[in-house]
Amino acid sequence: MCGLCGMFAGERHWTERAASPAIFGGSDRTAGGGPERAQVTPAQERQQRVRLVNRVLDPLGLVLAEWAASSYVLRTKTGRSEVVPDLGALWPAAERLLGRPCDPLDPGLLARLSR
């Protein structure tokens, strides 16, 4: 099977609430807290995930975008890009695109994010 076909046939990553609702505190698709929680669709969940990840990627010169509602495209500011199937594949792809190690727990990066 080609890589493109695999993108559409793959299972959801554990970080997606729709795939693992018990990990995120319940079987319903809600945003947190008690029964008054607002409904959150899988699309809204992915959009929020992309916004949060982009805050971490921005200092590295990278941008993540949703692709085909099942994968992501990671891009450099110079136009290089790579399709990543899930967040588990994000950091290895970032390192390939930048040609250097990327550590999301780097103290300098964490300090910039906390400002």
Side-chain angles (χ1 to χ4, degrees):
M1 172 185 318
C2 76
L4 182 60
C5 295
M7 292 299 195
F8 298 110
E11 292 183 19
R12 291 186 183 268
H13 192 258
W14 70 266
T15 57
E16 302 209 14
R17 182 185 183 109
S20 307
I23 291 174
F24 297 97
S27 59
D28 58 348
R29 286 197 180 119
T30 54
E36 69 285 350
R37 298 177 287 183
Q39 291 288 336
V40 176
T41 67
Q44 290 169 323
E45 179 187 330
R46 287 178 65 82
Q47 291 165 1
Q48 176 64 15
R49 187 177 306 110
V50 167
R51 281 192 295 274
L52 291 172
V53 169
N54 277 327
R55 289 181 56 201
V56 176
L57 294 175
D58 184 61
L60 300 171
L62 297 168
V63 176
L64 188 70
E66 188 177 4
W67 184 67
S70 63
S71 301
Y72 303 93
V73 176
L74 182 62
R75 291 185 173 91
T76 67
K77 293 187 178 180
T78 60
R80 294 184 65 203
S81 65
E82 186 170 329
V83 175
V84 291
D86 53 53
L87 295 183
L90 177 68
W91 292 109
E95 291 180 348
R96 284 190 297 277
L97 288 172
L98 294 175
R100 62 182 168 87
C102 297
D103 181 3
L105 299 177
D106 173 70
L109 177 60
L110 294 176
R112 283 190 297 266
L113 290 170
S114 67
R115 286 186 231 139

